[in-house]
């Protein structure tokens, strides 16, 4: 993934029902900063010139993380997601990273089925906590009935 992919990547994100977009973290500037910090790990999948899949992938030096894993609905079940995950895992392993984590919303049935199918483990032994440092960074879920656009 390159910074110049942003418009097409965001357009794909906006088609994924239940996808969470954050007001600040998913802005052009923040995605460009993420890619600059992780220049070899994020990936897009293309069909012709169209971006049909994305993964933001990065590392803090200890653990890898996958964000915004998605494939356009009409391109699912063709191995695109599995291939992109494999690419990210290979990149992280080459960096010496031994563990990768991700968050999937509980209501994301398709995503949770995908992770289970490709052998990822759902953890029940930990609690996930977060703390909002900037209340302007609101998450909006695509495809909800109360969506404005």
């Amino acid at each position: 993934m390159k910074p110049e992919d942003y418009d097409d990547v965001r357009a794909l994100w906006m088609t994924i029902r239940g996808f969470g977009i954050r007001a600040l973290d998913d802005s052009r500037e923040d995605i460009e900063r993420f890619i600059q910090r992780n220049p070899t790990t994020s990936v897009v999948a293309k069909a012709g010139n169209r971006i049909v899949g994305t993964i933001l992938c990065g590392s803090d030096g200890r653990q890898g993380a996958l964000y915004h894993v998605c494939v356009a609905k009409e391109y699912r079940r063709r191995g695109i997601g599995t291939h992109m995950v494999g690419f990210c895992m290979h990149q992280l392993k080459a960096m010496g990273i031994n563990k990768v984590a991700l968050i999937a919303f509980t209501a994301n049935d398709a995503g949770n089925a995908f992770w289970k199918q490709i052998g990822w483990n759902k953890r029940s032994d930990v609690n996930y906590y977060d703390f909002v440092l900037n209340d302007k960074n609101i998450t909006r879920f695509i495809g909800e009935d109360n969506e404005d656009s």
Side-chain angles (χ1 to χ4, degrees):
M1 184 183 300
K2 298 180 173 103
E4 54 268 23
D5 293 328
Y6 179 79
D7 289 333
D8 293 333
V9 165
R10 183 165 175 95
L12 172 61
W13 291 345
M14 299 304 286
T15 69
I16 306 297
R17 183 169 178 77
F19 202 75
I21 298 290
R22 291 191 189 103
L24 301 176
D25 292 343
D26 296 321
S27 68
R28 178 184 304 278
E29 296 77 20
D30 279 11
I31 297 301
E32 287 178 0
R33 183 172 49 242
F34 184 89
I35 292 170
Q36 288 171 357
R37 293 179 86 175
N38 303 279
T40 63
T41 52
S42 295
V43 64
V44 296
K46 290 187 175 182
N49 291 327
R50 180 180 171 206
I51 291 177
V52 297
T54 70
I55 299 179
L56 287 175
C57 174
S59 169
D60 60 8
R62 180 175 176 179
Q63 176 173 287
L66 302 182
Y67 305 96
H68 291 1
V69 178
C70 68
V71 174
K73 189 172 184 177
E74 64 273 23
Y75 285 89
R76 292 179 187 163
R77 305 187 77 64
R78 298 183 188 188
I80 293 170
T82 303
H83 185 75
M84 289 190 308
V85 170
F87 171 86
C88 292
M89 304 295 271
H90 177 78
Q91 294 299 103
L92 291 168
K93 189 172 183 180
M95 295 167 54
I97 301 301
N98 298 309
K99 181 179 177 186
V100 184
L102 64 91
I103 296 170
F105 291 107
T106 56
N108 182 350
D109 294 333
N112 286 299
F114 171 75
W115 296 114
K116 183 177 181 181
Q117 177 190 4
I118 66 169
W120 283 57
N121 300 312
K122 180 181 175 185
R123 301 232 4 216
S124 60
D125 62 328
V126 297
N127 293 320
Y128 175 79
Y129 296 93
D130 69 4
F131 190 89
V132 176
L133 293 174
N134 188 334
D135 60 5
K136 293 179 183 174
N137 195 24
I138 299 166
T139 300
R140 185 178 106 200
F141 292 96
I142 307 305
E144 288 187 339
D145 292 335
N146 61 356
E147 184 180 64
D148 294 331
S149 57

